[in-house]
Amino acid sequence: MMLPPTPRVLFLRQLVAAIRRDAPAGRVAVAVDGGRIGGTAFADDLAAVFREAGADAFRASLAGFHTSRAYRTRLGPETPQSHYRDAYDLVALRRVLLDPFRLGGSAGFQTAAFDEARDQPVEARWLTAGPDAVLVVDGEFPLRPSLRGDWNASVLLVNIPQPEAYVEDAHPREHATFLVDESDPAQPRWAPR
């Protein structure tokens, strides 16, 4: 299905073409760093444009890989530093999503493992995908040093403020593949380095 050629869709088509230039075949994992709330709509639309181009595109959010409230507050009230350090279960993210997605074939993967609002694990829902599938993951901190190598491409929405602990440790602007200014969501544009 062809999407209407709005300025947003035209921009996202350019982004998909740029990602596909670097990864023309095989499974592709793309991170959208939009902070805690900023990247979901962008990632949803990016996945839709990948689908328009014929890709089997899947969506996930780092929010589906939170740690429990008890774990996050085991040393006292949550601070910006402890949130950066402890809010996400990166082991589960790799074990049930990133590693099996990359394996291809009939390996099943899950797009979420934990429901932060209910503060409990989610029921496993295993998915499979074709050999050239695309996974678009949005959320906070996807460009932290321990995750950088897990993405074929990454998009940093530069108009979203980032926590100081993350910026100091990860330098996301320097490590993102693409910088996008989405100050006007209807007309995103490339941001300078």
Side-chain angles (χ1 to χ4, degrees):
M1 173 178 85
M2 291 298 289
L3 297 168
T6 65
R8 182 176 180 86
V9 168
L10 295 174
F11 177 84
L12 289 169
R13 286 177 182 161
Q14 289 178 12
L15 179 56
V16 165
I19 292 168
R20 281 302 195 188
R21 263 193 306 277
D22 292 335
R27 292 210 173 164
V28 174
V30 180
V32 175
D33 187 338
R36 191 166 180 117
I37 58 171
T40 301
F42 188 91
D44 287 345
D45 291 348
L46 181 60
V49 172
F50 269 111
R51 286 184 199 105
E52 175 191 58
D56 192 10
F58 293 84
R59 278 284 292 114
S61 177
L62 291 175
F65 294 89
H66 265 281
T67 55
S68 70
R69 197 171 296 114
Y71 180 79
R72 292 192 315 267
T73 59
R74 72 194 181 286
L75 301 174
E78 199 168 20
T79 66
Q81 290 79 13
S82 70
H83 179 76
Y84 173 58
R85 185 184 62 242
D86 297 331
Y88 296 97
D89 186 344
L90 303 182
V91 172
L93 175 70
R94 281 200 184 87
R95 182 174 39 83
V96 302
L97 178 59
L98 297 176
D99 291 347
F101 179 80
R102 289 223 183 266
L103 283 174
S106 61
F109 57 92
Q110 288 179 239
T111 56
F114 196 83
D115 182 334
E116 182 188 19
R118 293 174 48 216
D119 199 34
Q120 65 184 36
V122 299
E123 184 177 336
R125 183 173 159 250
W126 295 93
L127 304 169
T128 59
D132 293 326
V134 175
L135 174 65
V136 180
V137 181
D138 73 282
E140 296 183 284
F141 317 138
L143 293 173
R144 65 173 69 227
S146 61
L147 288 179
R148 267 189 221 132
D150 291 313
W151 316 116
N152 295 86
S154 57
V155 178
L156 176 66
L157 301 179
V158 299
N159 54 296
I160 308 291
Q162 299 285 355
E164 187 177 329
Y166 177 49
V167 172
E168 287 178 1
D169 181 57
H171 307 282
R173 192 176 185 106
E174 296 168 23
H175 293 283
T177 313
F178 303 100
L179 302 178
V180 174
D181 182 344
E182 200 189 32
S183 299
D184 178 359
Q187 296 190 7
R189 61 184 192 275
W190 302 110
R193 283 238 169 245

